[in-house]
Amino acid sequence: MSQPPRRSRGFRQASSLLASQIRRAAEGRGFAVARLLTHWPEIAGPDIAAKARPVKVSHPRSGFGATLTLLTTGPYAPLLEMQLPVLRERVNACYGYNAIARITVTQTAVSGFAEGQAVFDAPKPAAPAVPDAQIQQQAARIAADIDDPALQAAIARLAALKLVRAAKPNRKAP
């Protein structure tokens, strides 16, 4: 009697769990190699990746060489146009052969297409507000019994954040 197939043991990488779904989504936009989407900052470089996103790869009916369409905002389009030859070489290096013959640039608003998924130059998160001296003293008293200085400082910060949040009025409407 043969044994049933063994199940995998332990943890699996998240990328292996999502690989087929990513591949299907990428193929829907013409990307034969999903790596172009998933590793865009590494392929294009951080400066280009911050200014443009790959949107679609279209293949001609006859002939070779696909067209890669990039999405960018208006001010970055001229800068991106100057970098297209270098970008084309990098993308073709990802494919391993001369797959992309042309790159076109599509300009849009900062939020992107209707889905709003192409966001460029996201605003930096605001720095957390510094609690007033009274709340800091109260948080220090809460953490005073802890011997480890690093843990004591962490608990004091956590207590200060909790006290600030508790002091704010409830923003939810009934």
Side-chain angles (χ1 to χ4, degrees):
M1 181 153 95
S2 67
Q3 288 184 320
R6 293 180 71 161
R7 294 184 183 182
S8 62
R9 294 182 186 165
F11 294 104
R12 293 191 328 185
Q13 292 180 342
S15 62
S16 69
L17 298 173
L18 298 174
S20 63
Q21 295 169 345
I22 292 172
R23 188 181 69 248
R24 270 185 299 204
E27 287 173 353
R29 292 277 188 175
F31 291 96
V33 177
R35 184 174 186 270
L36 185 64
L37 292 172
T38 58
H39 294 80
W40 178 246
E42 296 166 8
I43 294 167
D47 55 335
I48 294 176
K51 298 172 187 165
R53 302 276 188 267
V55 176
K56 176 174 80 170
V57 173
S58 56
H59 301 276
R61 288 184 183 257
S62 62
F64 295 103
T67 301
L68 172 65
T69 303
L70 298 178
L71 178 66
T72 188
T73 56
Y76 294 125
L79 297 171
L80 196 58
E81 288 284 340
M82 291 187 291
Q83 297 174 336
L84 288 183
V86 173
L87 182 59
R88 188 175 153 292
E89 290 176 12
R90 290 180 183 174
V91 170
N92 284 332
C94 169
Y95 278 97
Y97 65 99
N98 198 11
I100 304 296
R102 291 183 49 219
I103 299 178
T104 59
V105 178
T106 301
Q107 297 178 19
T108 187
V110 174
S111 64
F113 289 125
E115 297 96 19
Q117 294 178 356
V119 178
F120 301 98
D121 293 329
K124 304 285 188 242
V130 177
D132 64 352
Q134 182 182 4
I135 290 179
Q136 287 180 344
Q137 289 173 355
Q138 189 177 357
R141 282 193 301 269
I142 291 172
D145 294 337
I146 299 173
D147 295 331
D148 183 18
L151 182 60
Q152 183 180 28
I155 295 295
R157 282 193 308 272
L158 180 63
L161 291 173
K162 181 68 177 166
L163 291 170
V164 167
R165 182 174 285 175
K168 288 183 181 179
N170 194 354
R171 294 183 183 177
K172 293 182 181 178

